[in-house]
Amino acid sequence: DTGDRAAAHVLLEQVVDAHHRLALIWADGGYTGSIVEHCLATLALVVAIVKRSDGQKGFVVLPKRWIVERFFAHLMRTRRLVPDFERRTTSAEAMVYWSMTLLMTRRLARPRPQPA
């Protein structure tokens, strides 16, 4: 029962502790406001808000956000991750690793075209 903005403060502090070289975070328009100042002042992170133009209507591909959406689409191809069966976050995290391992092994096993 925690909103995304409140959870982002806690999550970003954990991410900074684990990944010291992290300097830039892309976020959507829902994260404008205090989170941007908090990240810059306390965590030394730059939060770049990726928004679509005010004049655009309908579906528009936003390059940075498309990366995240494509990642979630790959995860949803794994049937176990579609419904939320996991009771613990550690088992849910393990299922994400498993899903991405499947994706990467499929990509690595793909036949490569031979140069002519």
Side-chain angles (χ1 to χ4, degrees):
D1 294 334
T2 304
D4 288 350
R5 285 186 186 190
H9 287 278
V10 177
L11 177 68
L12 289 173
E13 289 174 6
Q14 293 174 358
V15 168
V16 167
D17 289 340
H19 304 283
H20 303 290
R21 294 178 51 195
L22 186 64
L24 173 67
I25 295 175
W26 292 310
D28 67 2
Y31 294 96
T32 56
S34 66
I35 189 82
V36 176
E37 289 85 22
H38 170 73
C39 286
L40 191 58
T42 60
L43 304 175
L45 288 175
V46 174
V47 177
I49 305 297
V50 180
K51 292 193 277 187
R52 66 181 198 180
S53 299
D54 294 334
Q56 293 176 334
K57 294 182 181 176
F59 178 76
V60 177
V61 175
L62 301 173
K64 302 304 180 198
R65 284 179 48 187
W66 189 251
I67 296 168
V68 176
E69 297 298 332
R70 191 176 59 209
F71 169 74
F72 286 138
H74 285 304
L75 288 181
M76 291 302 112
R77 290 180 65 194
T78 307
R79 285 183 21 188
R80 174 92 182 247
L81 290 172
V82 174
D84 191 15
F85 287 133
E86 314 309 327
R87 292 184 183 186
R88 302 174 66 202
T89 56
T90 54
S91 60
E93 181 182 4
M95 293 308 299
V96 170
Y97 282 128
W98 175 68
S99 178
M100 293 314 295
T101 301
L102 286 174
L103 175 68
M104 295 307 295
T105 53
R106 283 187 200 126
R107 286 182 177 178
L108 289 171
R110 230 186 264 164
R112 305 250 184 245
Q114 297 297 324

